[in-house]
Amino acid sequence: MTRLDYDAARDQFAEWGVDTEAAIERLATIPISMHCWQGDDVVGFEQLSAGSGGGIQATGNFPGRARNVAELRADLEFAYSQIPGKHRLNLHAFYPDTDEQPERDALDYKHFETWVDWAKEQGLGLDFNPTFFAHPKADDNLTLSHPDKGIRDFWIRHGQCCRAIAARFGEELGSPCVDNIWVPDGYKDIPVDRMAARQRLEASIDAMLATDYDKAHLLDAVESKLFGIGVEACTVGSHEFYMGYAIRKGTLLCLDMGHFHPTENIADKLSSVALSVDEILLHVSRPMRWDSDHVILLNDDILAMAQELVFTNLLDRTHIGLDFFDATISRTAAWVIGTRNMQKALLRALLMPQEELKKVEQELNFSDRFILTEELKDLPFATVWEEFCVRKDVSTGKALLANLNNYQASVADRG
Ligand code: RNT
Ligand code: ZN
């Protein structure tokens, strides 16, 4: 690409009243929270964990899985180096950096302190998640809603120590840490007392959230789900459950794109949810037939999501997190391409003539809306993306392909 290409693209967008410079500047301020668990197939660094369980599953055995903290950080550093802009890392509680083997209900900031040092060095924000799976006390697929009070209390303590850790992350890094609560709780077959399970879940989350933290340090989120493998009949923490909870208790609501009926449009939910909750957490993902957590493509679902965020002016109260894990391809390539796809989608939305589109819709001029949305697809979005990457000093196209393959080759001999 030459300077001339970008100048021509800038002029072309300007004809539609779109300022490419403003779009590039805005895009640079939008952090994406990249999830640590794509790097190791959701295994974690506790010696006791035997895979994820809880109805989630990474498929594949592509070489290069990060086996320890050092490998995961090296992979993350490489991935961030190929992604334009400054971003965040979304850590799970079963990724401590310690030889102590602490139980989940005895996790402490000290077990994660080196993550904070590393995040400071890298200029990253941190988000966090308690881990309510991959543990013997989660084997019934019941945690915070388990009928056994001892098990519930164990998981409540886990959630409490994770909030303390997350709040400290936020304090140390000067940026609020989103602590996202997702539990796998559900039933294989049809339960007869859904209400009791939901009341237990609610009481447990209330107990977990009882301590107040400064919102400048900690933001609590709750994540719903339609179903998981092994809990096909009922998920205790359903969408209605958490939507109501978030509204009544003032938490963030997490919308995971894989956690709804496959034909539902998740982008459509934003404007409705945003009328009732202050802030939203997204788990941007790609379900295929089920909550399969494929790496996100630059497809219609992602474009629609980004367009809603931009057109509904929700960027400032939405935290964009990613949630996918694929072990059939290079894990670092999955991070890089997936994260860049989210950014590309946002850039496209920022480059749309929003006022004009809203105006014709307001006038019920659906013909123009139709003509415009389709003609606009021919605008040179790729040239503006390229310019953004050049300014942020990251590669595109064949150079990116070579970088990704070279790095993959360097980790392929991990056992
Ligand atoms: C599971 C949820 C949850 C997990 C992560 C690892 O269905 O999407 O967000 O993917 O916590
Ligand atoms: Zn999720």
Side-chain angles (χ1 to χ4, degrees), residues 183-332:
V183 296
D185 294 38
Y187 293 96
K188 173 75 185 167
D189 219 332
I190 302 160
V192 294
D193 200 350
R194 296 165 192 262
M195 181 60 113
R198 291 192 164 124
Q199 285 169 335
R200 288 191 296 265
L201 179 57
E202 169 146 325
S204 294
I205 299 179
D206 283 350
M208 268 177 59
L209 300 186
T211 307
D212 278 333
Y213 289 93
D214 187 340
K215 282 202 182 246
H217 302 151
L218 174 69
L219 296 170
D220 296 292
V222 291
E223 179 179 4
S224 70
K225 188 161 176 169
L226 180 64
F227 89 103
I229 297 282
V231 293
E232 291 86 356
C234 170
T235 291
V236 183
S238 61
H239 176 54
E240 292 76 6
F241 176 89
Y242 281 124
M243 173 107 179
Y245 192 90
I247 294 170
R248 285 181 291 121
K249 314 278 171 138
T251 67
L252 277 66
L253 183 68
C254 172
L255 299 175
D256 181 308
M257 293 176 72
H259 289 191
F260 294 87
H261 191 279
T263 62
E264 277 187 85
N265 173 356
I266 317 308
D268 174 67
K269 299 178 187 300
L270 291 176
S271 48
S272 298
V273 163
L275 293 174
S276 296
V277 302
D278 288 341
E279 293 184 51
I280 296 169
L281 170 64
L282 289 181
H283 272 189
V284 183
S285 191
R286 179 164 56 107
M288 197 181 286
R289 305 187 191 280
W290 67 289
D291 180 32
S292 60
D293 289 290
H294 281 72
V295 185
I296 57 170
L297 306 178
L298 187 61
N299 65 9
D300 287 349
D301 294 342
I302 304 302
L303 291 167
M305 184 61 91
Q307 188 175 313
E308 278 301 306
L309 288 173
V310 171
F311 280 36
T312 315
N313 200 19
L314 282 176
L315 283 170
D316 291 335
R317 50 193 186 108
T318 305
H319 303 258
I320 305 176
L322 306 178
D323 190 3
F324 49 73
F325 28 97
D326 190 340
T328 69
I329 57 174
S330 162
R331 295 170 185 78
T332 42

Side-chain angles (χ1 to χ4, degrees), residues 15 42 55 65 73 86 123 138 192 367 372 412:
E15 280 171 28
V42 212
R65 191 182 80 78
R73 283 186 196 152
K86 278 288 165 205
V192 294
S367 302
L372 284 171

